Amino acid sequence: MAETIRLEVSRYRPEVESEPTLQSYEVPYNKDWVILDALNYVKNQIDGSVTFRWSCRMGVCGSCGMMANGEPKLTCAVPLTDYDPTQPIRIEPLQFFPVVRDLVIDMSSFLEKLSNVKPWIIRDDVEATEAVEFRQTPVELDAYKQFSMCINCMICYSACPVIGLEPEFTGPAAIALAQRYNLDSRDKGKEERMDALDAHEGLWGCTFVGECTKVCPKNVDPAGAIQLYKMGSATDYLKSMLLPWGTK
Amino acid sequence: MASYSCDLLIVGGGGAGLRASIAAAEARPDLDVAVVSKVYPMRSHTVAAEGGAAAVIKSTDSLEAHAYDTVSGADWLCDQDVVEAFVDEAPREMVQLEHWGCPWSREPDGTVAVRPFGGMKVSRTWFAADKTGFHMLHSLFQTSLKYKSVKRYDEWFVSRLLVDDGRCAGVVAVEIATGEVHSILAKAVILCTGGCGKIFPFTTNANIKNGDGMALAYRAGAPLKDMEFVQYHPTGLPATGILITEATRAEGGWLVNKDGYRYLQDYALGTPEPKPVHRTMELGPRDRLSQAFIKEQERGRTLEGPYGHYVNLDIRHIGETVIDKKLPFVRELCLKYANLDPVHEVIPVRPVVHYIMGGVHTDIHGATPIAGLYAAGEAACVSLNGANRLGSNSLTECLVFGARAGRAAAEYVDGAPAPGAAVEAQASDEERRLRSLMDKTDGTERIADLRSEMQSTMEESAGIYRSGDSLAAGAETLGRLRQHARHLKLEDRSRTFNTEFISALELDYMLELAEIILRSGEQRTESRGAHQRTDFPARDDDNFLAHSLAYRNDDGSVRIEYSPVTITKWPPGARVYGKQ
């Protein structure tokens, strides 16, 4: 008989259960599969009611983040062969989010946080330059490029100890995206964006444990973004002490 | 059943849908605009586009040249007035996206960089490394957040268009999180739901690409145009169908057969040079390259692996520095999904279903024949791409025609009457239909089984080469599958985030579209672009320089009609690649 592996999948239907339970499924230990393929095998062949989000299956749409054995993972980017087939893989919804159903989290809070940091180019002279591109050298591009690689998969939120304690915290991905625009040579909205960030709780609770950066499947460095932000804010604070007429 | 309303509703939050929403919000800030999407917008499949987006920007280029490449690439089945409008508006749209923050790759002087692309005789493809679609989508989505007049219905699935007295008046949709059925009334609707690659077994397309908008429009009475034209991209990873971008070849990659021979030279695509040459060899158009693969396979010169025949894509000579700078995603995908490093190893590839040239028939403004109903992007067929789309024209198409549809629909809503009473009755009917499907307990057929049988049927009957016999046999099988699909076995009894139920609705859409592809293909007894009939191998301009239009008869069967192609400057000619 072909080799198999057991998935222990968190099941939760809010209209029926008050607490999630684990349900076990035996699936082929296919060496070409990622975790998501194994879940789709369950959905297609064993139990059509197992519920999770997925779409691109190539690590770019950001839909399929889940906890695998307690670690947040993008399940389409993790081969089954990373796991020992004699032990089950426990699949649970990303932690620190409300659960809608089975492996599906409610991520609406992130959408709000993202909007709050104004993740768009802010400048008021666009009319005058409508016909031509803004110049941006490769060096200027590199200054923010890595922060633009965020796929909004929510894995960093699930790894962030501050989010665990303080769900209102703007969080790693949204701050990284704020910095993505702050560092863009075409943008003139840094101060406006910083005000929005300052208005929200939690940032100063970040202890630079850097879990967000460690787990990011796209090698974004949200911890670095937060550090940059704190340094910027601290500098502004000092300036406002030393220069009472303001920092502008 | 709750009822919501807005002035203008956009179905789909990918490149075309978001561009349409911004265009409408800018043209008419007083309008209530809404975007309804079955996924969060940044999950839309635009995200997976890699290579780039075409627009004339360099002084060495011309609009005329971009237009000619597009027309000849399309095997003359495009409408040339549409092509001219497209190439003319493309640069402005791309600069607009630049102003919205898209991180385009740059020249040392800070101007936008361009790369060559298949079928284009000048380098005009803007790119953001090899994650162009990802960056475009996120730039559009993040920019869209600043328009407060745009409301979003995230993770709502549209199951029906409401049409009263020949006018589109909104949609019925399932709120996936709760299973509640709602109507969203609107004076105009724009369909931007993307393509339908999941009708086929081996595709670059994401799970969400089920042709929703095409099926919705067709059932509401709009024709689907040129649906027989399905594009196979020549280079997908054999196990998964993951796209290896054409940009690999634009940067100098070679396609070689089992002997290491650059076999494209045997298929009227020119002679091999060490460096990439525009419109030549590996930079020929996708239809020709995919067809060459099949011929090479028939000659026994491909390789065979656990996932079928393949050839090798060799980018080793490009070198690690350029690969990491310009093709980092390709390297990441190969390492993660093919267990190889393209810096040191060749990449096994084979043709893979990528795109459908056909779609909801629209005019140059994105308007369908149903008043108040518009479409843009892959869901639409505005007739830019004809019988074969050129790589890097589709991302730009989303911008140009998304914006056009957004503006046209915003203008239309002023004169549009309020929805009549019949709309409410239609919405209630639809709610009853959905409820009875949700509550169905006596089914026997597994969704996954029917889906995979549909997919393999399509590959066998309507692949890179088709014949009258294969298409007819496919249609017969599909008829049987559609009977079986009336008895779906639904195991999920929950109303909360019931993805099995959504899959059932998607399968229903795909089965209908699959039949349209086959019927459209059966009636086109010629070979043109991506539609290659082994029993009719020549192009037939006398009879088929025409768009097919598939209509739904009252009994549910397909009726094919034809409409003329618009020619402005370029009379039909031979497609010549490999010499300029």
Side-chain angles (χ1 to χ4, degrees):
Chain A
M1 198 186 129
E3 209 174 359
T4 61
I5 188 167
R6 199 148 46 88
L7 301 184
E8 288 179 348
V9 178
S10 178
R11 303 302 309 272
Y12 172 62
R13 287 162 302 169
E15 62 271 57
V16 185
E17 293 122 341
S18 57
E19 289 290 321
T21 54
L22 287 178
Q23 191 165 350
S24 191
Y25 301 97
E26 197 87 3
V27 302
Y29 188 63
N30 185 322
K31 300 197 169 41
D32 289 341
W33 279 4
V34 292
I35 293 177
L36 178 64
D37 294 328
L39 280 169
N40 269 317
Y41 178 87
V42 173
K43 176 103 184 155
N44 290 336
Q45 306 300 331
I46 305 174
D47 183 348
S49 73
V50 172
T51 300
F52 49 93
R53 292 188 180 104
W54 73 288
S55 183
C56 76
R57 205 215 164 270
M58 57 190 282
V60 72
C61 82
S63 303
C64 66
M66 301 169 208
M67 306 298 286
N69 286 348
E71 292 175 15
K73 297 281 186 189
L74 196 63
T75 55
C76 76
V78 181
L80 272 191
T81 50
D82 279 7
Y83 297 86
D84 172 2
T86 64
Q87 302 294 318
I89 312 176
R90 197 173 69 256
I91 310 288
E92 294 165 298
L94 285 178
Q95 65 179 359
F96 308 146
F97 289 93
V99 178
V100 177
R101 164 89 194 270
D102 292 357
L103 301 166
V104 174
I105 55 156
D106 176 356
M107 58 176 281
S108 52
S109 62
F110 169 73
L111 274 295
E112 268 173 52
K113 290 170 182 176
L114 182 63
S115 287
N116 288 338
V117 303
K118 304 189 177 184
W120 52 79
I121 295 281
I122 298 174
R123 59 188 290 164
D124 49 21
D125 61 345
V126 169
E127 291 295 318
T129 54
E130 210 164 75
V132 287
E133 79 257 44
F134 298 130
R135 297 279 179 112
Q136 181 167 68
T137 65
V139 173
E140 289 169 327
L141 173 65
D142 283 344
Y144 70 90
K145 184 79 194 268
Q146 64 116 336
F147 296 124
S148 76
M149 305 303 278
C150 169
I151 61 172
N152 303 177
C153 65
M154 301 296 100
I155 281 177
C156 55
Y157 284 74
S158 219
C160 172
V162 183
I163 284 283
L165 298 169
E166 204 165 349
E168 296 302 305
F169 175 35
T170 301
I175 295 174
L177 285 164
Q179 292 293 21
R180 171 251 175 278
Y181 286 95
N182 287 341
L183 296 169
D184 190 321
S185 58
R186 297 168 292 187
D187 181 75
K188 295 178 177 172
K190 185 174 173 186
E191 287 178 17
E192 204 177 321
R193 219 170 275 119
M194 295 296 245
D195 289 346
L197 270 179
D198 270 341
H200 291 79
E201 291 302 309
L203 183 86
W204 300 94
C206 171
T207 51
F208 297 136
V209 283
E211 287 301 325
C212 49
T213 297
K214 274 183 226 159
V215 296
C216 177
K218 297 285 125 180
N219 301 316
V220 180
D221 179 15
I226 295 169
Q227 193 155 15
L228 273 175
Y229 172 78
K230 281 190 175 180
M231 280 164 54
S233 270
T235 314
D236 285 350
Y237 175 74
L238 276 176
K239 275 192 201 154
S240 70
M241 292 277 98
L242 297 169
L243 311 167
W245 53 89
T247 58
K248 298 196 178 172
Chain B
M1 181 179 207
S3 183
Y4 300 81
S5 68
C6 59
D7 293 307
L8 169 57
L9 180 67
I10 294 150
V11 186
L18 291 173
R19 184 66 191 90
S21 72
I22 295 173
E26 290 203 325
R28 289 288 306 274
D30 57 316
L31 296 182
D32 289 327
V33 178
V35 176
V36 56
S37 170
K38 65 179 176 177
V39 291
Y40 279 102
M42 66 279 193
R43 312 304 189 209
S44 306
H45 193 55
T46 303
V47 81
E50 297 173 19
V56 173
I57 187 85
K58 299 296 177 189
S59 57
T60 49
D61 201 358
S62 71
L63 299 181
E64 172 103 5
H66 189 188
Y68 178 78
D69 286 342
T70 302
V71 170
S72 54
D75 216 347
W76 273 269
L77 197 71
C78 50
D79 286 343
Q80 294 178 9
D81 55 340
V82 169
V83 175
E84 291 188 76
F86 168 74
V87 299
D88 184 50
E89 288 168 29
R92 197 159 64 241
E93 280 297 324
M94 299 292 283
V95 168
Q96 175 65 79
L97 202 62
E98 195 278 332
H99 289 176
W100 286 336
C102 191
W104 297 116
S105 293
R106 303 283 178 155
E107 299 292 353
D109 69 355
T111 55
V112 166
V114 290
R115 63 171 30 135
F117 235 66
M120 303 274 193
K121 81 176 145 205
V122 182
S123 298
R124 62 172 70 95
T125 297
W126 303 37
F127 59 101
D130 55 354
K131 283 198 165 181
T132 309
F134 165 80
H135 286 299
M136 284 178 61
L137 182 67
H138 281 255
S139 297
L140 281 168
F141 177 60
Q142 288 162 12
T143 299
S144 78
L145 296 174
K146 79 177 172 189
Y147 295 89
K148 301 303 174 203
S149 64
V150 179
K151 180 180 168 59
R152 290 203 326 273
Y153 297 92
D154 293 334
E155 300 194 317
W156 287 38
F157 182 90
V158 175
S159 72
R160 178 166 174 171
L161 293 178
L162 298 168
V163 178
D164 178 29
D165 199 19
R167 282 177 181 275
C168 186
V171 305
V172 174
V174 182
E175 181 180 9
I176 299 174
T178 61
E180 295 296 319
V181 178
H182 306 297
S183 61
I184 309 175
L185 302 182
K187 292 174 188 154
V189 172
I190 310 176
L191 298 169
C192 302
T193 50
C196 56
K198 289 306 263 188
I199 290 175
F200 288 78
F202 186 65
T203 175
T204 60
N205 284 197
N207 185 47
I208 55 175
K209 296 215 32 202
N210 315 103
D212 304 359
M214 296 176 190
L216 288 167
Y218 178 71
R219 290 172 182 187
L224 300 186
K225 185 167 52 179
D226 293 338
M227 289 294 284
E228 59 272 44
F229 296 97
V230 175
Q231 178 165 80
Y232 280 73
H233 191 292
T235 58
L237 292 178
T240 55
I242 287 174
L243 173 70
I244 300 299
T245 170
E246 197 160 300
T248 50
R249 290 171 274 129
E251 299 299 337
W254 300 325
L255 279 170
V256 296
N257 68 12
K258 68 175 185 180
D259 305 314
Y261 172 73
R262 289 174 70 186
Y263 62 92
L264 293 175
Q265 61 189 289
D266 297 348
Y267 300 97
L269 286 158
T271 49
E273 300 282 341
K275 297 278 175 200
V277 179
H278 291 109
R279 282 178 70 113
T280 297
M281 289 292 292
E282 284 84 358
L283 289 181
R286 291 174 178 172
D287 57 338
R288 288 286 186 82
L289 265 61
S290 292
Q291 290 152 20
F293 172 90
I294 299 294
K295 296 292 180 197
E296 195 68 359
Q297 180 182 328
E298 286 168 5
R299 291 181 178 184
R301 303 198 303 197
T302 50
L303 298 103
E304 208 172 346
Y307 300 97
H309 288 266
Y310 66 94
V311 290
N312 285 322
L313 173 62
D314 190 350
I315 64 169
R316 291 173 297 182
H317 52 282
I318 297 173
E320 186 166 10
T321 310
V322 174
I323 290 174
D324 283 348
K325 192 171 157 59
K326 292 186 162 175
L327 304 167
F329 194 35
V330 165
R331 191 174 187 189
E332 179 188 333
L333 290 169
C334 287
L335 286 165
K336 219 167 254 174
Y337 297 101
N339 203 21
L340 65 88
D341 185 350
V343 170
H344 306 294
E345 294 159 273
V346 294
I347 311 167
V349 290
R350 70 178 177 106
V352 54
V353 168
H354 185 56
Y355 185 87
I356 185 158
M357 274 65 78
V360 182
H361 170 48
T362 75
D363 68 11
I364 199 166
H365 307 292
T368 75
I370 297 175
L373 183 64
Y374 296 75
E378 193 179 351
C381 181
V382 66
S383 289
L384 170 67
N385 303 307
N388 173 64
R389 175 175 71 78
L390 291 190
S392 76
N393 267 354
S394 66
L395 285 174
T396 314
E397 178 184 2
C398 287
L399 300 176
V400 169
F401 292 100
R404 274 182 163 246
R407 287 190 297 264
E411 195 175 320
Y412 166 88
V413 298
D414 268 345
V423 164
E424 221 167 283
Q426 277 180 34
S428 301
D429 279 354
E430 177 63 3
E431 186 188 24
R432 270 192 297 279
R433 180 184 81 94
L434 293 173
R435 287 274 167 246
S436 87
L437 182 59
M438 277 180 200
D439 296 337
K440 191 172 162 57
T441 53
D442 58 347
T444 51
E445 303 282 342
R446 288 201 80 90
I447 292 173
D449 293 345
L450 288 183
R451 194 169 50 211
S452 73
E453 201 176 342
M454 167 192 72
Q455 290 168 338
S456 56
T457 301
M458 291 303 284
E459 184 72 31
E460 281 160 30
S461 56
I464 294 171
Y465 287 94
R466 307 98 182 253
S467 70
D469 289 346
S470 75
L471 292 159
E476 199 182 313
T477 309
L478 271 176
R480 181 170 55 76
L481 293 177
R482 290 186 72 181
Q483 291 296 320
H484 290 192
R486 292 179 181 178
H487 309 288
L488 286 183
K489 177 182 174 187
L490 296 176
E491 296 170 322
D492 192 346
R493 313 292 358 147
S494 174
R495 292 265 159 105
T496 307
F497 218 96
N498 188 328
T499 53
E500 187 188 45
F501 173 66
I502 299 298
S503 296
L505 298 176
E506 290 169 338
L507 177 64
D508 181 47
Y509 288 164
M510 290 193 289
L511 284 167
E512 180 128 41
L513 296 175
E515 186 179 352
I516 295 164
I517 291 170
L518 297 177
R519 295 294 183 204
S520 303
E522 251 185 308
Q523 298 215 14
R524 184 176 289 274
T525 50
E526 65 154 356
S527 289
R528 182 188 298 271
H531 174 70
Q532 292 293 312
R533 288 278 301 254
T534 52
D535 44 353
F536 294 92
R539 192 172 89 186
D540 176 2
D541 286 340
D542 291 342
N543 293 303
F544 288 105
L545 189 62
H547 302 295
S548 66
L549 291 170
Y551 290 86
R552 191 172 196 271
N553 290 324
D554 289 341
D555 65 357
S557 60
V558 188
R559 179 178 82 252
I560 307 287
E561 298 180 4
Y562 290 91
S563 72
V565 165
T566 303
I567 308 274
T568 57
K569 288 187 189 160
W570 301 275
R575 295 173 77 199
V576 180
Y577 292 97
K579 51 182 166 195
Q580 303 297 310

